[in-house]
Amino acid sequence: MFPGVMDVDAAIRTAMESGGFSVPAPNQKIFKEQCAFCFKDPHGPDGLYINLRNYHAFCKQHAVIYANHTNYNLWVQFESTKVAVDEQRSDGEPTTKMTKLTIDAEPKYEFEDKYSVVIHPEYDNKFSNVQGIPEIVDTIKTINESTSAERLALLTSTNNGWDNEIKLITRHANLEQSDEGKVLALSGWNCEVEDCGLSENLWLNLTDGAIRCGRSQFLANGEKTRGNGHMQDYYNATRFPLVVKLGTISSNLESIDVFSYEEDDAVIDPNIVKHLMHFGLDPEKMEKTAKSTLEMELDMNEKWEWARCTEDGAMLEPIFGPGYTGLINTGSSCYMNSVLQALIQVDSFRKRYSDQALQTMLKCPIEMLHNDFNAQFAKVIHAMLSGDYSSEADPTHNHIKPLQFKRVAAGSHPEFSTAKQQDVEEYIRFLFENVSKQNQNEDIDPTNSLRFQTWNRFEDNASGKVRYTEQEEIILRLPLPEGIMKPTEKENHFTVDMTDAVQACFSKQFVEGYKSPITGEPKGANNTLSMKTFPDYLILQASKFAYTMEGVQKKLDVEMEVSETLDLSAFRGHGKREDEELLPKDSAPPADAPPEIPANVRAVAGDLMIMGFQENQSIRAAYFSNGNAEVATNWLMEHLEEPDIDAPFVMPTGTPSARGEIDPNLVDSIVEMGFSRHQATYALKQVPTVAEAVEWLFTNLDSIPEESAAATGTSSDAPEASVTESASKKSFTDGSEKYQLIGIITHMGSRPDSGHYVAHMLKDGKWVLFNDEKVALSQDPPIKLAYIYLYKRVD
């Protein structure tokens, strides 16, 4: 106890001289918005305690622990109280009054900040009058006036954006328009096809100004738009690709509905004003009178899907307690939030990052804590499981904002470090790779309970000889081939039985064009996937996304009849059988033999030669474009001036790192055989055909760099760890092949990198909806619509 002023000053001086104080440097980072070990802030009870040795902030509970651990016992307690301000507008009305266009109105607030000096362990003794110690007075002033280190990190991050539906910029931005001088009225249009005359659902072709009706589309409640598809017919006849929907044109250029038939998607036309003015249509003089295609699709599909997945309209009962903590969306972070809600269902993640949370954070040097992967992961997982942020009695603190974890986990990754929406499957792979790297020297790698090994059996059809390859995986991808999709009464809507999808995953996949290294016959090969190990937890992915022939990713409208219990014992694999003969390890042609130019490269080269390009130019362009005609044409136009463009082309024997864009349809073909998208893409950068890529993978799988290194472009003097080397550092659980469904992640939107994600988890026998910060008991979990399924092994 410190009864007098002199005693207080003396006590503070003693704490300062014992090493508990350092003068803040001019560029000192001062943390004052959140506890270093948890998510408590200065607005809660007791506020935060800022350590005067290193200027990191802690809640009272963790301040005590940290002071005992370090002997840094001098603190400034920072309490910030939110006070509502009922400001008056210039017309005398209070700003909190609802106005005609207001959807919701929140009062404005000010914050009253209070600073006190506290000496460990006497936290109830707060000293505000410290004028006798100028160093402390100046320090408190610096703390008050500084921008918090947390805010500075946010301001310098690359985050920007939200869950918007992403449109592509059309490749026809520089569209050549006709010079016939056609000028259109600003309204009153009709379809120009004889005997049609429709005055709604009209489209303007931006090449020549033709006006035609669109196709009939379903709307909500079973209604349909009127349309005879005459613009589609016009495109088929003319190949004029770019059209705009009349009635959507206005000064709000973002709302103008532009569609590219060639790209088979709604697009952005950066020159839309110029293209419209060519026909006398000035957006500034026009008003929007019709819904865009996207708006109608939302009415028909996504609003239905959104309502099903978020259980919109149902009176859901909120649920509170440990494991029911909501996560605030920090800008298209719903994919990350959904993954975190799934991971706290996994025993190994709870043990590593919750049970060992305090140990992990105390072991980390304080200056590294805010950028340490394991410390930030532990902070989030422990908070989610603590129940401290899920209390019915305190609704203002019923969620956390994992902003720092998102930044640290993403690192310099070109996609995950942004605030763009991401594919949750890709994020799981990226996150697990990071977890494994960061736990190489720890007792627990929590991903081991989800990792598994597969066998790939590759059989040369001509010789009957085989090759077996072991492969590591964390997600079992369920293909959805057309043969198992059953159409429903709804247009382009299908149902699939999960049992059929599982069977398709492990069925034989024919590799067309494979030439036997034994007989030389091009009879193809068969590749079959099977399970070598069965993990404690199994993640399944429904392959709902496919690429069109134009390379545009589209979502399949599919509902899956899900098996909530799975028995995969029929798909446990084996190695080489006694009666099987192995293919030679190196089945490549002799080193002195130049590689053959693949048939698909020659075919595209032939198309280019018909267009007037020379043979060597055409072959070179086709090769460096992976046999993709459109990419090859663009490549050729960009490289025509190069001095060796006409030189005789010889197939390279090394790694063709300069290859162009990879055809996503070729990637999908290889992924369906059990390889990851990263492996398939990497292989297609080495060789141009699916058959060659599969063969290359079987003989070179160990040489593929890890996905996270390839994505970030990181490099060092050390050689890249191979898949085999990485796998040797990991262990795999194995046991019963029977599983029970315990969670799903559902996607709403047309592409995995846009839209919204939510999670539903089975907890204590009840399904729970996790929609960012909203947590409630589920009445009707959308199991049939899920994108990711989480199963747990049962005996």
Side-chain angles (χ1 to χ4, degrees), residues 399-415:
H399 42 249
I400 61 175
K401 183 185 290 187
L403 194 61
Q404 188 78 347
F405 170 77
K406 183 178 187 294
R407 183 183 66 81
V408 172
S412 59
H413 192 280
E415 292 298 329

Side-chain angles (χ1 to χ4, degrees), residues 56 226 515 528 545 688 741:
H56 286 74
R226 296 176 65 193
K515 181 184 293 186
T528 308
F545 298 95
L741 181 67

Side-chain angles (χ1 to χ4, degrees), residues 390-448:
S390 181
S391 169
E392 190 171 6
D394 185 12
T396 60
H397 292 86
N398 274 345
H399 42 249
I400 61 175
K401 183 185 290 187
L403 194 61
Q404 188 78 347
F405 170 77
K406 183 178 187 294
R407 183 183 66 81
V408 172
S412 59
H413 192 280
E415 292 298 329
F416 299 125
S417 61
T418 71
K420 299 176 183 177
Q421 187 61 277
Q422 304 296 335
D423 185 342
V424 74
E425 178 256 350
E426 293 178 2
Y427 185 71
I428 291 172
R429 293 183 183 278
F430 169 79
L431 184 64
F432 278 28
E433 195 61 51
N434 271 348
V435 170
S436 291
K437 283 183 177 180
Q438 298 295 333
N439 287 279
Q440 287 181 350
N441 301 318
E442 302 293 335
D443 295 335
I444 302 173
D445 177 353
T447 67
N448 287 343

Side-chain angles (χ1 to χ4, degrees), residues 185-189 245-253 255-256 276 281-291:
L186 299 182
S187 62
W189 314 286
K245 187 172 184 180
L246 295 171
T248 68
I249 303 170
S250 72
S251 58
N252 181 7
L253 301 182
S255 71
I256 300 177
L276 291 171
L281 299 178
D282 185 352
E284 293 292 334
K285 300 178 180 178
M286 302 176 71
E287 294 183 1
K288 187 173 184 293
T289 60
K291 285 186 176 182

Side-chain angles (χ1 to χ4, degrees), residues 596-616:
E596 289 186 27
I597 297 176
N600 69 324
V601 171
R602 285 199 173 277
V604 170
D607 292 339
L608 294 175
M609 286 187 282
I610 292 174
M611 297 167 62
F613 296 105
Q614 299 301 311
E615 180 178 10
N616 287 312

Side-chain angles (χ1 to χ4, degrees), residues 182-197:
K182 185 173 184 179
V183 177
L184 299 174
L186 299 182
S187 62
W189 314 286
N190 295 96
C191 178
E192 295 174 343
V193 173
E194 188 176 357
D195 297 329
C196 178

Side-chain angles (χ1 to χ4, degrees), residues 49-97:
Y49 295 81
I50 301 170
N51 190 274
L52 294 187
R53 176 60 182 263
N54 52 43
Y55 297 93
H56 286 74
F58 298 83
C59 67
K60 184 175 182 179
Q61 174 191 356
H62 291 123
V64 172
I65 294 172
Y66 185 72
N68 287 332
H69 183 72
T70 62
N71 291 321
Y72 298 160
N73 59 355
L74 190 59
W75 305 88
V76 164
Q77 183 186 19
F78 171 38
E79 298 174 279
S80 183
T81 305
K82 188 162 62 171
V83 179
V85 177
D86 194 13
E87 293 183 347
Q88 297 290 315
R89 298 193 322 218
S90 59
D91 59 3
E93 292 289 338
T95 57
T96 54
K97 183 176 180 179

